[in-house]
Amino acid sequence: MATTQPAYNSAENSVATAPSTDRFTDRLWAETKVLRESIDSLEFLRRLGDGTLPLDAFRTYIEQDKLYLEGYSKALSLVAAHAPDPQAAGFWSNSASTAATVESALHDGLLTGGILPPGSQRLEHSQACLGYVSYLTATAATAPYPVSAAAVLPCFWIYAEVGRDLAASAREVLDTDPSHPYAQWVTTYDAPEFHESVAQARVLVDAAAEAATETEREAMSEAFRIASRYELMFWDSALHQQPWPAS
């Protein structure tokens, strides 16, 4: 659930000029420490990294991530529409385009390439996926720009941080089983482009916080926290599914 795009090169807002201390995004990261530790300990992520995740659970994850990216790209487009300057708008817009095209194409390749077992039913959002994309879309459409930017940040940041450990574990799996059905794909989680995107997104959220009111900054913290909760629920639901009530 991460997006990549060209570097954000605004002279006034570049990564190089980001404050090195007392960053608002550092505060957001600290406030969600317990949540992130819970994410790190998920059985789904452990088994995804060590190659023991059942293939049907991996397919469920890819299916849900495809649906998520469709909604996430819409939320990012809404954030771009409310951005305060062309550079910020360009970053969020490029991220939306990447989620809608490049990453979705990678998911389609996995789902139709014959590596994973076939899907057994009509594809629909899980409870966690629908809740997550609905929250992001509603926030991006109705909340002030600083709040919506904070809401979409966890998908960039948590994904990239989790990806480091996953990629390292997957490389160990490939050393012993080069034909593992999804370990090669997992190694892409640590792509440098992901981490560049995180740095760029953080700069924008820090800048938004600096221009925001205290009430908006409190709302930013809450939005980041809620989205982080959904990150946990999204990953966990691929292995521990919660079926919808019978229709």
Side-chain angles (χ1 to χ4, degrees), residues 134-233:
S134 297
Y135 171 72
L136 291 178
T137 303
T139 301
T142 63
Y145 167 76
V147 180
S148 61
V152 298
L153 180 59
C155 184
F156 283 88
W157 199 352
I158 294 177
Y159 186 99
E161 292 300 316
V162 167
R164 285 194 176 99
D165 291 337
L166 282 178
S169 297
R171 291 187 190 98
E172 293 178 6
V173 171
L174 289 173
D175 285 342
T176 58
D177 182 8
S179 63
H180 192 279
Y182 58 78
Q184 187 66 53
W185 183 82
V186 175
T187 61
T188 65
Y189 275 43
D190 196 28
E193 294 86 353
F194 290 166
H195 299 282
E196 292 171 5
S197 296
V198 172
Q200 295 157 13
R202 286 187 63 192
V203 166
L204 294 178
V205 174
D206 284 329
E210 185 174 351
T213 66
E214 184 56 36
T215 297
E216 287 175 337
R217 284 190 286 272
E218 291 174 0
M220 292 173 73
S221 293
E222 181 67 7
F224 188 89
R225 184 181 304 108
I226 291 172
S228 298
R229 289 172 181 160
Y230 274 120
E231 285 286 312
L232 187 156
M233 294 165 61

